[in-house]
Amino acid sequence: MFAPARQKTDSLPVWARNLVWLAPLALTALVGCATRNDLYVLLPGKDGKTGALTVESEGKKQTLDTPYAAARVKNVGSVDGVKSSEAEVKQDFGPALEAQPKRPVSFFLYFLADTDEFAPESKALVNQIFAEIARRPAPEIAIIGHTDRVGAQAYNDTLSLRRAERCRDELLKLRIPKVRISVAGRGEREPEVPTADEVAEPRNRRVEISVR
């Protein structure tokens, strides 16, 4: 099972930002200083979903909630909806988009009960994670282990750290520098699926690997 990081949409009052990234992405271009001419474009996320961006100037508002919706602020107190397109964004903002750092992504690896052995559906994900890491020139990797609520808390703390360390060891085999990797264990404290004590829940027996 593979799951990307959850993403949240935002409603953002705006002024002087040259580039604003949401998830989905909101892009702002500042064109002039003496006469304000700010252009705001809402871009869809990698998953195709689009959030919302509110552009506000002295009480005037324009909400952008569809892909490539745009608004321009020419003067204080003036917000006008304008048309934009994917082609125009690439033409006007291509170099700026390419220069932005890649957004963080998270992977979930799941484990067999009471072990640091990968569940079958997770065994193939290590190579996917490596491919994501390889696309980044200076990756930072955080590995956090978790357990379900079966067993004593102290035991689960140790088990969750073992799981995180197992994932680190797999990445080290792929020649990821150890200095780029941090590991931690949270035990049963942060379940993906809340349960009563001593309930075996496969989705809580996991490691989250965040790459940025």
Side-chain angles (χ1 to χ4, degrees), residues 2 14 18 41 45 78 83 102 115 142 149 153 160 201 211:
F2 160 61
V14 296
N18 289 339
V41 182
S78 171
K83 292 184 178 180
K102 293 183 180 295
T115 73
R149 299 195 63 194
Q153 182 170 304
S160 66
E201 171 50 63
V211 183

Side-chain angles (χ1 to χ4, degrees), residues 85-117:
S85 67
E86 182 177 3
E88 289 174 330
V89 168
K90 288 182 178 180
Q91 178 179 338
D92 295 339
F93 304 110
L97 290 171
E98 290 296 326
Q100 294 297 305
K102 293 183 180 295
R103 283 174 281 178
V105 62
S106 291
F107 301 85
F108 294 89
L109 297 175
Y110 295 87
F111 291 79
L112 300 178
D114 199 28
T115 73
D116 61 358
E117 294 296 322

Side-chain angles (χ1 to χ4, degrees), residues 51-72:
L53 170 68
T54 298
V55 182
E56 180 176 4
S57 175
E58 293 295 325
K60 298 292 184 179
K61 295 182 180 181
Q62 182 82 27
T63 297
L64 312 178
D65 56 9
T66 59
Y68 302 103
R72 188 180 297 278

Side-chain angles (χ1 to χ4, degrees), residues 19-209:
L19 288 174
V20 177
W21 287 80
L22 298 177
L25 175 71
L27 179 65
T28 305
L30 180 62
V31 180
C33 293
T35 300
R36 181 172 293 280
N37 191 15
D38 299 346
L39 176 64
Y40 302 84
V41 182
L42 183 66
L43 305 187
K46 289 183 178 181
D47 58 3
K49 296 180 180 179
T50 304
L53 170 68
T54 298
V55 182
E56 180 176 4
S57 175
E58 293 295 325
K60 298 292 184 179
K61 295 182 180 181
Q62 182 82 27
T63 297
L64 312 178
D65 56 9
T66 59
Y68 302 103
R72 188 180 297 278
V73 179
K74 292 184 177 180
N75 302 291
V76 174
S78 171
V79 181
D80 299 315
V82 296
K83 292 184 178 180
S84 185
S85 67
E86 182 177 3
E88 289 174 330
V89 168
K90 288 182 178 180
Q91 178 179 338
D92 295 339
F93 304 110
L97 290 171
E98 290 296 326
Q100 294 297 305
K102 293 183 180 295
R103 283 174 281 178
V105 62
S106 291
F107 301 85
F108 294 89
L109 297 175
Y110 295 87
F111 291 79
L112 300 178
D114 199 28
T115 73
D116 61 358
E117 294 296 322
F118 294 118
E121 66 270 21
S122 294
K123 289 182 178 179
L125 288 182
V126 173
N127 287 337
Q128 293 184 27
I129 298 170
F130 176 71
E132 177 63 35
I133 294 170
R135 287 194 287 268
R136 298 168 185 260
E140 296 293 336
I141 304 153
I143 304 176
I144 300 177
H146 303 271
T147 70
D148 60 22
R149 299 195 63 194
V150 176
Q153 182 170 304
Y155 177 82
N156 284 333
D157 287 346
T158 300
L159 177 58
S160 66
L161 183 59
R162 278 173 47 205
R163 288 172 173 169
E165 291 173 340
R166 170 70 188 278
C167 292
R168 178 195 60 196
D169 292 344
E170 293 299 320
L171 294 180
L172 292 177
K173 291 177 185 177
L174 297 171
R175 298 184 179 179
I176 305 300
K178 189 173 183 179
V179 70
R180 295 278 177 192
I181 306 171
S182 65
V183 298
R186 297 283 191 264
E188 61 183 65
R189 295 175 182 80
E190 300 173 6
E192 179 74 8
V193 180
T195 69
D197 196 23
E198 299 302 322
V199 173
E201 171 50 63
R203 287 169 290 180
N204 291 337
R205 301 192 294 262
R206 73 198 192 280
V207 162
E208 180 177 0
I209 301 179

Side-chain angles (χ1 to χ4, degrees), residues 8-12 22-24 51-54:
K8 298 180 180 179
T9 58
D10 238 329
S11 179
L12 181 68
L22 298 177
L53 170 68
T54 298

